């Protein structure tokens, strides 16, 4: 069975037999898989009137544990967006009554973002279907293949410098 990337590799092999396009195959497939997966995730979350970034922030706060609160800086680290972007996103979630914003009592210069009860219930409801959707998206791979792929992707990501953020603020 061939995919769209195979066609690209065949074209490069015909036009430039002096180069090995194999890395293009790996990177191209990761990029295409990312795009296709993101499309499916967005579609599923839209059924809950959520955007992907909204779910990401709500889920980050929920999995941080009780009291479901992080600094805005910690959210910037985990979401890989600028502080200006996170401020805008927090504003939008506050307007929906999914999070609250307050001053960190231990550091008055820091903003604390806390999941509201409404936000916690929403993310708890959505995450069950989200996991089921991701399970559906991976059905082409056996559980063993999924574990192997996860290990290879972890190795690639850490080699590219991806390390867990320090969210102990």
């Amino acid at each position: 069975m061939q995919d769209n990337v195979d066609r690209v590799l065949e074209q490069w092999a015909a036009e430039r037999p002096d180069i090995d396009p194999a890395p293009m195959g790996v990177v191209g497939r990761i990029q295409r898989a990312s795009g296709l997966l993101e499309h499916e995730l967005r579609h599923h979350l839209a059924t809950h009137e959520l955007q992907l970034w909204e779910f990401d922030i709500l889920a980050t706060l929920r999995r941080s544990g009780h009291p479901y609160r992080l600094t805005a800086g910690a959210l910037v680290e985990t979401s890989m967006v600028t502080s200006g972007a996170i401020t805008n996103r927090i504003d939008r979630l506050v307007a929906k009554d999914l999070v609250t914003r307050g001053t960190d009592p231990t550091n008055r210069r820091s903003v604390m973002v806390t999941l509201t009860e409404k936000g916690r219930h929403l993310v708890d409801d959505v995450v069950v279907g989200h996991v089921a959707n991701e399970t559906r998206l991976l059905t082409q791979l056996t559980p063993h293949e999924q574990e192997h792929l996860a290990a290879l992707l972890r190795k690639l990501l850490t080699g590219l410098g991806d390390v867990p953020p320090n969210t102990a603020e």
Side-chain angles (χ1 to χ4, degrees), residues 26 69 99 101 133 140:
V26 174
R69 177 181 303 136
V99 302
R101 175 194 298 110
N133 186 44
Q140 295 301 311

Side-chain angles (χ1 to χ4, degrees), residues 44-60:
H44 171 73
L45 292 172
T47 66
H48 298 280
E49 299 180 4
L50 281 174
Q51 294 184 37
L52 192 54
W53 67 264
E54 290 173 311
F55 178 75
D56 184 42
I57 291 173
L58 297 175
T60 298

